[in-house]
Amino acid sequence: MKKIGLMGGTFNPIHNINLIIGQIACEKFKLDQVWFMPCKQPPHKTEGDLVSEEDRKRMVQLAIDPYKHFSCSDFEFHLPGKSYTSRTLEALTETCSDCQFYFIMGGDSLRDFDKWHKPEKIAKLCHILACGRQGEDLKKLCQKWKDKYGARIDYFTIPESQISSSQIRKDLGDGLLPIGQVDDRVLTYIRMHGLYGTKPLVFDNDHATKKLYQMLSSSLRPKRYIHTLGVATTAASLAMAHGHSVQEAELSGLLHDCAKYLTNQEQINECIRLGVDLTSFEMENPALIHGKLGAVYARDRYGVDNPAILSAISYHTTGKANMTRLEKIVYIADYIEPNRTMETYPHSLVEVRAASFMDLDQAMIMILENTFDYLQKNNRPIDPLSRECYEFYKTRR
Ligand code: DGI
Ligand code: FE
Ligand code: FE
């Protein structure tokens, strides 16, 4: 039997204490996994500041991404009728017969356990893990529900903290940033989407731009989407530094990976369907295809007809000899954007970033050297275009 911790809640938005509770429960009770399960939008109640199911789910996905024992489940979204914990547990135990569920709840909820819908059923279907603040005495309460419902209950304590979703929402609305309370990626998501009364980060979003963000946000996986936003702002910054059109760079950055929601095989199929020629090298190394296909999608789905932008998207993975300034900007932004982390390579990310704002050609050389090093370590061949690109800039020095 797998031991699954369940963290329910509105996650409006998910914050660091939610993560800490999940982590402590996971370690203390040796859980195999913790599922974060955002609850459904109440059908009739229009709570002013409860954001959509989609937004709450995406924020959870972003926040838990670094934790290998955590996953996000939208199970409750798909259950018919009202979401009562008893019903959810019933459906869950039917679906996952090899799982033993540990329902994690706060001390306050434990106090009110009597008032929950069918507490006797909850007690039967899961273990309860109650978390309380230090000094909070949950022992008696646990005994009470053990006696009354035969519940299996354990409790654990969490560090003292003032963090709450409602305070976070209020701060955001007041223009304050809850740094250290919410994961950075979640905060970026909130600000890019203007949730909780925040002002959108980069642009005064007109209708077309909003639509573009929406399309990207709903097609790309959360991590890829955040990377995309990072590339867009970095490309915009590089454009400023090097006297290029900021709008052009930003749009190229936004769309550079727009085909990357597809698997490699799906990308190949799409190229065949759309008559996009692939070289044999690309067929063997399909990680290289998404630039070409991305350019086609940018044109056909996002209505971009500027050939300079389409070309920058097309060559953002390999580079090539004699690139335009915009092509270099997108290639470099892809590599240095703020969400990137890097292991040890000939040139550190700090060095490459510094070079990028001084000298685009120098940055190209450094990135190519790092990429070649990476490919060699992973036993993968270098693309002929990348090689030509390197020769070109290296001999021009
Ligand atoms: O799409 P991103 O992940 O943001 O970054 P990217 O467009 O640079 O793509 C990275 C992938 O492309 C990664 O899997 C390595 C691969 N790649 C880049 N250059 C070469 C390459 N693969 C081969 N075989 N040869 C290359 O020269
Ligand atoms: Fe890419
Ligand atoms: Fe990318």
Side-chain angles (χ1 to χ4, degrees):
M1 283 289 229
K2 268 194 291 190
K3 295 170 75 172
I4 308 293
L6 285 180
M7 286 275 293
T10 47
F11 299 117
N12 185 38
I14 185 168
H15 55 63
N16 290 350
I17 298 301
N18 300 137
L19 297 168
I20 288 172
I21 291 174
Q23 242 182 331
I24 296 178
C26 191
E27 281 167 25
K28 186 160 172 157
F29 301 99
K30 309 241 169 334
L31 305 176
D32 294 297
Q33 269 177 38
V34 177
W35 295 355
F36 287 73
M37 194 176 283
C39 67
K40 238 197 315 209
Q41 216 84 336
H44 301 301
K45 208 166 60 177
T46 37
E47 203 177 312
D49 54 1
L50 181 62
V51 302
S52 74
E53 292 175 359
E54 177 70 13
D55 282 332
R56 289 182 289 121
K57 173 175 149 184
R58 290 197 155 252
M59 290 190 284
V60 169
Q61 288 173 325
L62 288 169
I64 65 172
D65 185 68
Y67 301 84
K68 71 174 193 299
H69 296 293
F70 290 180
S71 59
C72 175
S73 163
D74 57 6
F75 191 80
E76 263 196 6
F77 292 172
H78 306 296
L79 288 181
K82 270 195 174 170
S83 320
Y84 292 117
T85 301
S86 55
R87 283 199 193 152
T88 305
L89 281 167
E90 209 168 24
L92 271 175
T93 36
E94 262 171 43
T95 321
C96 325
S97 52
D98 61 336
C99 294
Q100 173 67 56
F101 291 102
Y102 290 73
F103 189 78
I104 301 166
M105 65 166 78
D108 295 342
S109 305
L110 189 67
R111 217 156 278 125
D112 295 336
F113 189 56
D114 241 359
K115 302 198 190 85
W116 285 43
H117 190 253
K118 301 195 178 163
E120 66 288 344
K121 193 177 236 165
I122 299 176
K124 208 170 84 197
L125 292 171
C126 68
H127 279 261
I128 293 170
L129 302 178
C131 67
R133 303 181 189 280
Q134 237 118 35
E136 200 176 2
D137 190 15
L138 295 179
K139 202 169 165 186
K140 271 202 203 115
L141 258 184
C142 290
Q143 196 55 50
K144 183 171 166 191
W145 305 134
K146 277 182 196 169
D147 294 342
K148 182 159 183 189
Y149 296 112
R152 294 154 290 172
I153 315 186
D154 283 295
Y155 64 94
F156 60 104
T157 49
I158 54 168
E160 201 53 55
S161 154
Q162 303 299 326
I163 298 178
S164 77
S165 289
S166 56
Q167 186 62 43
I168 290 169
R169 293 195 299 273
K170 186 176 176 304
D171 284 353
L172 285 165
D174 292 343
L176 301 171
L177 293 183
I179 306 270
Q181 304 180 30
V182 175
D183 182 276
D184 279 352
R185 281 161 299 198
V186 174
L187 196 51
T188 306
Y189 185 93
I190 290 171
R191 298 174 78 199
M192 292 312 296
H193 292 257
L195 305 182
Y196 309 118
T198 52
K199 302 263 176 298
L201 253 186
V202 193
F203 271 144
D204 174 13
N205 282 1
D206 54 47
H207 180 70
T209 318
K210 245 193 202 132
K211 179 100 202 317
L212 191 151
Y213 277 95
Q214 261 166 16
M215 279 169 71
L216 287 168
S217 152
S218 56
S219 62
L220 299 173
R221 274 182 294 276
K223 220 175 158 181
R224 178 66 51 191
Y225 179 57
I226 292 292
H227 161 70
T228 291
L229 300 178
V231 175
T233 45
T234 306
S237 313
L238 285 171
M240 287 180 207
H242 296 287
H244 195 90
S245 153
V246 174
Q247 273 74 17
E248 227 178 58
E250 180 158 41
L251 186 55
S252 311
L254 275 174
L255 292 175
H256 84 288
D257 275 343
C258 71
K260 204 141 176 172
Y261 68 96
L262 298 172
T263 62
N264 288 342
Q265 189 55 51
E266 287 167 342
Q267 289 178 31
I268 294 175
N269 296 347
E270 274 296 88
C271 286
I272 295 168
R273 185 176 74 83
L274 297 164
V276 178
D277 283 335
L278 295 177
T279 62
S280 56
F281 192 88
E282 287 168 330
M283 289 295 276
E284 281 154 31
N285 301 280
L288 297 164
I289 297 173
H290 71 280
K292 254 186 194 176
L293 183 60
V296 176
Y297 278 6
R299 189 191 62 204
D300 297 350
R301 298 184 174 186
Y302 292 88
V304 174
D305 50 15
N306 179 342
I309 295 181
L310 297 179
S311 176
I313 297 172
S314 204
Y315 292 104
H316 84 266
T317 305
T318 57
K320 62 177 180 131
N322 203 7
M323 293 162 83
T324 64
R325 184 170 53 196
L326 183 64
E327 286 164 350
K328 288 185 263 191
I329 285 176
V330 176
Y331 182 93
I332 293 167
D334 191 22
Y335 198 79
I336 65 168
E337 64 96 6
N339 305 292
R340 280 260 194 244
T341 52
M342 220 173 64
E343 292 125 56
T344 31
Y345 286 116
H347 310 284
S348 75
L349 200 47
V350 176
E351 284 175 274
V352 180
R353 282 179 175 150
S356 301
F357 285 87
M358 313 272 291
D359 182 344
L360 292 172
D361 292 1
Q362 175 60 25
M364 287 300 302
I365 293 175
M366 293 164 94
I367 296 173
L368 284 158
E369 285 175 353
N370 279 5
T371 303
F372 294 167
D373 189 65
Y374 162 84
L375 291 170
Q376 194 192 2
K377 280 177 186 153
N378 289 278
N379 266 324
R380 282 155 75 182
I382 296 175
D383 185 276
L385 283 173
S386 304
R387 208 183 284 282
E388 286 163 30
C389 180
Y390 184 67
E391 299 300 324
F392 183 87
Y393 289 106
K394 195 73 183 169
T395 49
R396 276 216 330 190
R397 292 265 113 193

